[in-house]
Amino acid sequence: MFYFKKNNDVIEKYKVDFNREEVEKLKIQIIDSCSLSLHKEYRSTYYPKFIDESLIRNFHSTCIGEKEYFEETKDVYLFSYDEYKPPYLTILIDRLLKLDTSAIDEILNYDLSFYLSIDDKIKLACQEFAQIDAEDIILKKEKLKELEDLLNYKELNKDNSLVLYYNKLIKLINFELVDSILISDLKRVESFLEISTNNSLKKAFAKVLQKK
C-alpha cells in the first residue's frame, strides 16, 4: 500500500510493507502483556456472548441450581472469567493488517503518555478511595477493584513493555520513498484540470495537506 506524507512544501509518496505474520504475532504479545485485566463473576441462566473471545481468559462455568420461569425451568450458572482490555494500539494494528492507510498516521503519532503515568493514576485512585464515606461499602468495593486493576496493570507493564512493543512495531513497518511532488505543482495541476471539489483524489490530498 502507499502512504502520503507532507514534508514542508512537498508531498512524498511512500510504499509501505510489513511482515504480516510478525505483526500479528506482536499484536498477540501486546494483548497478553499490556492489557488491563478485569475479573468478572456473576450468576445467570444465559451463557455470555463475547464480541472477541480472544480477549476472554480463565473462563469457568458451574451449574449451581435451577430457576423456574412461567413455561420452563432453566439451569443457573456461576460464570467467572478475566476480560482483557488491550491498548488502542491493537486496534490500529488490526486496521494496518486490513491495509487501512489512515492507521499509519495514528501509529506514527501514537500517544504513550497514559502508559507512562500509571503511578499517577494509582495515586489518584488511592486518594479517591480515602475520600469515600466509610459507610458506603459498595462504592468502596468498586474503587478498591479499580485500584487492584491498576496495580495488576502496573505489574504487567513494570518494564514499560508497551513502549518496547511499540518500538518493535515501528521497526516492522518499512517505508520506501518512491516519488514526490511540490504542493505548488499539485495545485497548479488541479487548477489546470479544473478538478471538482468532490473529486476523491483531491479529497485524499487535502487530508495530507492538513497534516502538520
Side-chain angles (χ1 to χ4, degrees):
M1 62 180 176
F2 292 101
Y3 167 69
F4 297 93
K5 176 184 177 182
K6 179 184 176 184
N7 187 2
N8 296 322
D9 58 349
V10 174
I11 294 180
E12 298 172 337
K13 178 180 179 181
Y14 290 87
K15 182 180 180 182
V16 181
D17 290 308
F18 56 88
N19 186 309
R20 175 174 292 272
E21 183 177 342
E22 289 298 319
V23 171
E24 289 177 339
K25 186 186 301 181
L26 183 65
K27 175 194 168 186
I28 295 174
Q29 291 174 343
I30 294 174
I31 292 174
D32 290 341
S33 302
C34 304
S35 293
L36 179 63
S37 178
L38 304 176
H39 182 73
K40 297 191 177 182
E41 189 171 306
Y42 62 92
R43 296 171 174 81
S44 178
T45 56
Y46 296 93
Y47 265 74
K49 294 182 179 180
F50 304 114
I51 296 177
D52 187 348
E53 293 188 357
S54 69
L55 301 180
I56 304 301
R57 310 294 171 87
N58 306 315
F59 180 87
H60 298 285
S61 63
T62 306
C63 183
I64 57 174
E66 296 180 338
K67 184 174 182 179
E68 293 185 1
Y69 290 88
F70 292 107
E71 300 178 354
E72 59 182 331
T73 299
K74 291 186 176 182
D75 292 330
V76 177
Y77 290 88
L78 174 64
F79 297 105
S80 174
Y81 57 88
D82 297 321
E83 182 177 1
Y84 276 23
K85 299 289 186 179
Y88 181 62
L89 185 60
T90 59
I91 295 178
L92 295 179
I93 291 176
D94 280 336
R95 287 168 52 190
L96 178 67
L97 292 169
K98 295 177 182 178
L99 304 182
D100 179 357
T101 55
S102 66
I104 296 177
D105 265 327
E106 290 191 62
I107 291 175
L108 294 177
N109 297 286
Y110 190 72
D111 183 9
L112 288 161
S113 60
F114 169 84
Y115 307 97
L116 299 177
S117 61
I118 189 68
D119 286 332
D120 291 335
K121 291 184 176 292
I122 291 173
K123 182 179 179 180
L124 178 61
C126 288
Q127 293 173 347
E128 292 174 343
F129 178 81
Q131 293 171 358
I132 298 174
D133 191 302
E135 296 183 359
D136 195 340
I137 304 300
I138 295 178
L139 194 55
K140 281 274 190 184
K141 286 183 177 180
E142 290 178 354
K143 183 56 65 174
L144 190 61
K145 183 63 173 66
E146 178 186 338
L147 181 57
E148 181 184 358
D149 291 336
L150 287 170
L151 289 170
N152 288 336
Y153 184 87
K154 180 180 179 180
E155 177 62 24
L156 284 172
N157 291 271
K158 57 187 176 182
D159 298 320
N160 281 336
S161 53
L162 183 62
V163 179
L164 298 177
Y165 289 130
Y166 173 77
N167 291 334
K168 288 182 179 179
L169 174 63
I170 296 300
K171 291 179 180 179
L172 288 174
I173 305 175
N174 300 311
F175 294 88
E176 178 187 352
L177 180 62
V178 294
D179 207 346
S180 62
I181 184 172
L182 287 169
I183 294 175
S184 58
D185 289 344
L186 175 63
K187 291 182 177 180
R188 184 169 181 272
V189 170
E190 290 178 348
S191 176
F192 179 79
L193 295 177
E194 297 182 352
I195 300 175
S196 60
T197 55
N198 63 353
N199 183 277
S200 60
L201 181 60
K202 186 174 181 179
K203 285 184 178 181
F205 278 112
K207 291 182 180 179
V208 177
L209 293 174
Q210 291 173 359
K211 298 176 184 176
K212 294 182 180 180

